[in-house]
Amino acid sequence: GREKLQEEGIDLNLVTVDTRDGQKSLSAMIDSGELDDLDLVLGPVTQSSVNLMSDFTKERQINMINPLSSNGDILKENPFAFLYYPANESLAMRSAEYAKENFTRNKNVAVFYSGQADYERAELYRQLIEKDSFDVVIFERVPPDQSVDIQQLFVEEEEVEKDSLVIAEMIAEMDSLRDAEVEDWEIYSERDFVYDTLKILPDSIGHIFIASDYSSLTASALSGIAARPDTVELITSSRFLVAEQSVSFEQLDKLNAIFVGSNFMDYTSAEVEEFRERYVNTFLSSPVKEERLGDAYLAYDIIVTFGRLLHQHGKYFQLALREMETVEGELTDKLSYRLSNDNRYLPFLRVKGAEVVEVKKQ
């Protein structure tokens, strides 16, 4: 990223800080004053370090970008804190907006979240759509390592006794054969009096909202939907589209899942290809996509995008951002900080053919 900016005449002095360094803690670095002259902080990642750095940047009036989280808590008390991704609140509001307009055929809803970090997203979504006459009939926490539970929930079957009139007719039929002294009059077994049906009955759920950025939850829900005879819609975070996962674009096209959120990377773009070449030339290996911990793609995008903002608009670039509808990302599509310090560029995306397209452009 720094090399790319240098070619554009932007000289960025990058200072790397290891927040897990046992020799020198982040707290000690802050106390020593060695971080006082920073113009921008990217990170950190762990929540304890985020809280520590947020207090520091607020006091010193230094902008910081949290690169991975959708937790908007740090934005409430610190005007110098930014999220690279949309906050949980923004994702819930935007997703509910789509559901209210497009999922009205069946207003029964299932909501799944992975843990406390995205509970706020799930709970706000529930509140917003239930105000609009939807009914959240399933609201469950599913940890990422138990994500298969969602698929099983939607494909699990149970034995149900057939209608009493049908059973009576079957019994009467056997009685008449027995009365006629037919030797093999028991033409029905116990299994014939019951039938297998889905525990979650067909057409009992209209749509699923996955209130989590863990791709395993979305993949599990999609697998469950694909195996059912009815149509269940799905809406989830667009971060699923950049994760390494087993669901093909062909399957996503058929299932017509909707993805909400910014920071989508088109891995076929010229910008991504240029980055890969730079990475391979420097490290002699290809960059790896990471789902939750951040990766080289994300770091490059943030450094180049925000490096340009620093160059063009100075240390307090938020003054310019408030006047701009969107900002072009280097590897991602766009970012928007006009209304808030979380990224509120929130298009609705789906897979059409072999491409990710914005819904309104279909």
Side-chain angles (χ1 to χ4, degrees), residues 29 44 52 59 77 103 106 186 201 270 277 312 320 343 347 352:
M29 292 180 197
L52 195 62
E59 180 187 341
E77 301 296 331
F103 294 158
N106 180 335
E186 289 187 273
L201 294 173
E277 287 180 11
Q312 293 163 4
N343 181 6
K352 184 89 171 164

Side-chain angles (χ1 to χ4, degrees), residues 32 41 44 46 77 79 114 122 132 148 167 185 193 200 218 228 257 281 307 317 326 359:
S32 71
V41 173
T46 62
E77 301 296 331
S114 62
D132 204 68
V148 70
I167 292 173
W185 61 271
F193 290 94
I200 296 179
T218 295
R228 290 175 62 85
N281 289 339
F317 48 74
T326 59
V359 171

